[in-house]
Amino acid sequence: MDKKITIQAATHGLKVTQASDISESRIELKADVVIVGSGAGGAIAAYELASKGKKVIVLEAGPYVPSEKFSEMMAIAMGTLYQDHGGQSNTHGDISILQGACVGGSTVVNAALCFRTPDYYLDLWGREFGLTNLTPAVMAPYFDKVERNLQIQQNARHETSPGAELINKGLKKLGIPAGVAKRNVKNCGLTGFCFAGCVSDRKQSMLVTYLPWAVEKGATIHADTRVVQVLADKGVASGVLAEVIDPASGRKKADLRVDAPIVILAAGPVQTPVLLLRSGLANSSGQVGKNFACHPTLSLTAEFDKHVDDFHGATHSLYVDRWTLPEEGGYLLLNAVQDPVEASFQVEPGTGKPYMAYMSRYRNTMRLITLIHDKNVGEVGWKDGAKHIHYEVDNQDFEAMKAGLKTNARILFAAGARRVHVPTSQKKVIDSVKQIDAVIDGLKNEPARYRYTSFHPQGTCRMGADPSRTVVNPRGETHDVKNLYVMDASLLPTSIGYNPSETVYALATYISDQINQAHA
């Protein structure tokens, strides 16, 4: 941990201005920096800039939910901590695109799994997008820094989940090497509730790390505050307009304006481009909202003849990345514990008695995820007062998914599975190794047939040197509007095939340094 950082969140929670604290109908504030979003990028920017003496205001559209109020129930967390109450999806409705919508953002509800950006992508971005400033040598100290600050370290042996133990046996039988997960967790409680928020504050989310550190340095945080427009004057950012929304009624309680010479958008790869489109800014390239990718995942659920009880331990214990780079296959395999709510929608067991029969065997099940490195073929748009996520899995990407599912199924049978459930909209089961190829080869890339989940939207405000092809320059500033910066996964020029959280942590730290140097 940085020596300068000496505090943790107080036991009573974090100092946040909420809608319930507001009595005026119009509020006007001034700051050196206004940050839209309090997740991975926004929180780090808040601390890094406030620590250099800048007056920082953070605006978060979601509510403030202190960790002592986390329910440890996925169904409740979806309604209180997730974007659109967990209902955000593509226009076809077949891919759930999950993002946190609360103070701390997606870091509050993610699985805490961290990977450094592979050198492969840093080199690729340098060649194809002119990001020669983001070399492995330049970025290494930034990865080192966030790994120290967020306690990112390899899982200890005792943290391995029961299902991961079985998967490891299957991998050894097949001669496939496994990677041990690294997570931003300190002394994990092994409850398996990462996706519903960590009650014990052991997950080192922004809620218990960078945000309280930023507040200690003088930053202020406003929850329930939805930014509706970025302000600019003669090509230079000047602030934002926002609405304070009562989370109980959904009604506007106040209009809020922040005048600030530096504006940072860290609202996420869906909300950041929507805000730019609504504001009519930074889109001379026509690329705002384009190049959306999201790492679609499908989970095969294996059923065993004995209890597995794969609902405690590290949320992710292991991964297989032998085939993750695009030319090697383009898919990553991850184990993940799952609670009953997740187990009930990962497959199609039917309704009534068939559903009850399947769920009665919940303790005998576990899942293995196939995550694909997808092409940037989607688009986020704003029309008729609503956002739209236009995205379908590319045909070549679907072939990568099928290859991953085959590997996934072979591992599960090698681990001792009795049968394997395929996450399709109509019930489909693989009963033996001999059936794997026939069943998986029979899958067609058609909308609404599969139970996709995505935790990794990215790519809608590409970073690069060419202003005709990208939205943001190599320093994180938009090409068109000076002092308007982006610090979330929308920056990523390409899909990276791994969980992008640590990439965002490092890029946000790097861009914050650029801002501090330019505005000393």
Side-chain angles (χ1 to χ4, degrees), residues 105-128:
S106 293
T107 70
V108 174
V109 294
N110 69 13
L113 185 61
C114 291
F115 295 94
R116 291 193 177 197
T117 317
D119 291 354
Y120 173 97
Y121 293 104
L122 296 177
D123 293 338
L124 175 69
W125 296 347
R127 292 193 310 271
E128 295 194 3

Side-chain angles (χ1 to χ4, degrees), residues 8-14 64-74 76-77 80-81 107-110 112 183-205 207-208 315:
Q8 288 283 342
T11 56
H12 63 276
L14 182 63
Y64 170 53
V65 183
S67 53
E68 61 265 26
K69 292 187 178 179
F70 293 157
S71 66
E72 296 191 325
M73 295 179 67
M74 189 67 176
I76 294 175
T80 56
L81 301 175
T107 70
V108 174
V109 294
N110 69 13
R183 301 181 300 142
N184 54 295
V185 176
K186 182 179 180 181
N187 300 322
C188 184
L190 306 178
T191 62
F193 292 128
C194 273
F195 296 130
C198 182
V199 171
S200 65
D201 287 341
R202 299 183 186 207
K203 179 164 65 173
Q204 301 296 281
S205 73
L207 187 62
V208 299
T315 304

Side-chain angles (χ1 to χ4, degrees), residues 3-23:
K3 292 181 179 178
K4 294 180 181 178
I5 300 175
T6 59
I7 67 166
Q8 288 283 342
T11 56
H12 63 276
L14 182 63
K15 184 178 180 181
V16 178
T17 299
Q18 304 175 66
S20 58
D21 300 317
I22 301 298
S23 56

Side-chain angles (χ1 to χ4, degrees), residues 65-354:
V65 183
S67 53
E68 61 265 26
K69 292 187 178 179
F70 293 157
S71 66
E72 296 191 325
M73 295 179 67
M74 189 67 176
I76 294 175
M78 282 284 187
T80 56
L81 301 175
Y82 282 77
Q83 185 69 45
D84 297 349
H85 307 294
Q88 181 172 264
S89 68
N90 62 338
T91 50
H92 284 299
D94 61 344
I95 305 178
S96 295
I97 300 169
L98 300 174
Q99 292 178 283
C102 56
V103 172
S106 293
T107 70
V108 174
V109 294
N110 69 13
L113 185 61
C114 291
F115 295 94
R116 291 193 177 197
T117 317
D119 291 354
Y120 173 97
Y121 293 104
L122 296 177
D123 293 338
L124 175 69
W125 296 347
R127 292 193 310 271
E128 295 194 3
F129 295 92
L131 296 178
T132 54
N133 56 317
L134 302 182
T135 63
V138 168
M139 293 306 296
Y142 291 99
F143 288 120
D144 290 341
K145 181 176 184 178
V146 296
E147 287 174 1
R148 288 194 305 271
N149 287 352
L150 295 174
Q151 307 283 325
I152 297 172
Q153 54 195 329
Q154 195 173 75
N155 285 350
R157 179 70 181 80
H158 73 276
E159 294 176 317
T160 306
S161 73
E165 295 281 12
L166 286 174
I167 291 169
N168 262 321
K169 292 179 181 178
L171 291 170
K172 288 179 181 178
K173 285 183 181 179
L174 298 176
I176 299 172
V180 179
K182 291 184 177 181
R183 301 181 300 142
N184 54 295
V185 176
K186 182 179 180 181
N187 300 322
C188 184
L190 306 178
T191 62
F193 292 128
C194 273
F195 296 130
C198 182
V199 171
S200 65
D201 287 341
R202 299 183 186 207
K203 179 164 65 173
Q204 301 296 281
S205 73
M206 298 299 105
L207 187 62
V208 299
T209 54
Y210 277 89
L211 287 176
W213 300 340
V215 169
E216 192 268 343
K217 295 296 183 180
T220 57
I221 303 170
H222 293 251
D224 309 320
T225 304
R226 181 175 62 203
V227 175
V228 295
Q229 185 179 351
V230 177
L231 302 175
D233 182 26
K234 298 179 181 179
V236 181
S238 59
V240 299
L241 299 180
E243 298 174 341
V244 179
I245 305 297
D246 182 346
S249 67
R251 296 174 182 170
K252 182 172 73 172
K253 193 168 184 180
D255 291 303
L256 183 146
R257 178 184 178 121
V258 180
D259 291 315
I262 299 173
V263 177
I264 295 172
L265 303 185
V270 176
Q271 291 72 27
T272 287
V274 164
L275 183 53
L276 287 175
L277 291 170
R278 293 182 66 177
S279 303
L281 295 175
N283 198 25
S284 65
S285 64
Q287 295 299 300
V288 171
K290 304 288 181 63
N291 311 304
F292 175 85
C294 63
H295 291 166
T297 70
L298 290 176
S299 297
L300 291 185
T301 299
E303 192 174 329
F304 291 76
D305 286 327
K306 60 181 181 180
H307 290 338
V308 179
D309 290 340
D310 194 35
F311 44 78
H312 58 86
T315 304
H316 293 302
S317 297
L318 61 84
Y319 62 91
V320 176
D321 65 351
R322 174 185 281 185
W323 301 279
T324 302
L325 295 180
E327 60 266 30
E328 295 172 350
Y331 63 87
L332 176 74
L333 301 183
L334 296 166
N335 88 295
V337 301
Q338 64 178 347
D339 72 5
V341 174
E342 293 176 281
S344 70
F345 62 66
Q346 290 291 343
V347 303
E348 178 49 68
T351 58
K353 289 183 178 180

